Amino acid sequence: MKGSRSFADASSWLDVKLQAASHDVFEMAYKLYYQDQKSNFTLEHAWRMLRNDQKWCSLSREKGKAHSKRTHPDASVAGSPMEEEVEERPVGVKAAKAAKLKGNKKVTRTSEDREAAMKNLQSVAALREKDYALREKEFAKKDILANKKLLANLLGKTEPLDEIEIDLKNKLISQIL
């Protein structure tokens, strides 16, 4: 349907022109969509979640500029004060994986990405060291408890102890004291 307004266009136009409350903007956009499409807008929940998403905001900004396939953006006057700088979106997970698999497109990491990854690795390493130390202490406590139970069993025997049991009992007593 050429010439018909999309729901996002209607809502953004109303938001800018009327400076109304969010609910009023949505109601007016809903009415405009119904007038153009002759059907109700059923994806309100999705629109509310995605309306401020970076991907869709950049598309709505570009829509007003209306570049055709034959005109080149380089041919326009560079440095005009009305031009907005378009933020470059970060590389998505799927795009990064595809680029790694194909190998012909290299994904460049910025220094900020590297610093963030390094901080993340350092925090993971610190957590692992703490976890290892805690597990080691827990193992030592369990070992001491097992030795105490074994000593209690040896001391609780009523029959005479063998040589091995006597040596073990003396060793456990010296460790505990």
Side-chain angles (χ1 to χ4, degrees), residues 54 57-59 61-62 65 83-89:
Q54 185 179 15
C57 288
S58 65
L59 285 176
R61 276 188 242 138
E62 291 172 4
K65 295 179 184 175
E83 261 185 49
E84 292 182 26
E85 290 185 26
V86 178
E87 294 179 20
E88 188 173 323
R89 288 181 33 217

Side-chain angles (χ1 to χ4, degrees), residues 46-148:
W47 177 79
R48 286 193 187 272
M49 285 192 302
L50 297 173
R51 67 179 171 175
N52 295 325
D53 194 37
Q54 185 179 15
K55 178 178 182 179
W56 305 111
C57 288
S58 65
L59 285 176
S60 66
R61 276 188 242 138
E62 291 172 4
K63 216 169 203 176
K65 295 179 184 175
H67 291 292
S68 69
K69 288 183 181 179
R70 294 184 184 176
T71 60
H72 299 287
D74 299 335
S76 66
V77 178
S80 65
M82 298 302 284
E83 261 185 49
E84 292 182 26
E85 290 185 26
V86 178
E87 294 179 20
E88 188 173 323
R89 288 181 33 217
V91 178
V93 174
K94 288 183 179 179
K97 285 182 180 178
K100 284 181 184 178
L101 291 176
K102 288 183 180 178
N104 54 357
K105 190 195 287 186
K106 290 190 177 184
V107 178
T108 57
R109 292 179 117 185
T110 63
S111 61
E112 296 160 352
D113 291 340
R114 288 186 185 134
E115 288 174 10
M118 190 60 148
K119 286 180 183 177
N120 189 16
L121 285 174
Q122 288 172 346
S123 65
V124 168
L127 287 174
R128 283 190 176 179
E129 286 177 13
K130 287 179 184 177
D131 186 46
Y132 180 74
L134 287 174
R135 286 184 184 201
E136 196 172 283
K137 286 179 183 178
E138 187 178 321
F139 180 72
K141 287 179 182 179
K142 286 182 181 179
D143 192 34
I144 291 171
L145 184 62
N147 287 344
K148 285 182 179 180

Side-chain angles (χ1 to χ4, degrees), residues 26 41-51:
F26 179 76
F41 183 68
T42 57
L43 300 172
E44 177 183 351
H45 63 284
W47 177 79
R48 286 193 187 272
M49 285 192 302
L50 297 173
R51 67 179 171 175

Side-chain angles (χ1 to χ4, degrees), residues 23-45:
H23 183 69
D24 295 336
V25 170
F26 179 76
E27 291 300 320
M28 291 298 293
Y30 190 80
K31 288 177 185 176
L32 286 173
Y33 182 85
Y34 183 77
Q35 288 173 359
D36 288 343
Q37 303 296 322
K38 305 296 185 222
S39 67
N40 289 331
F41 183 68
T42 57
L43 300 172
E44 177 183 351
H45 63 284

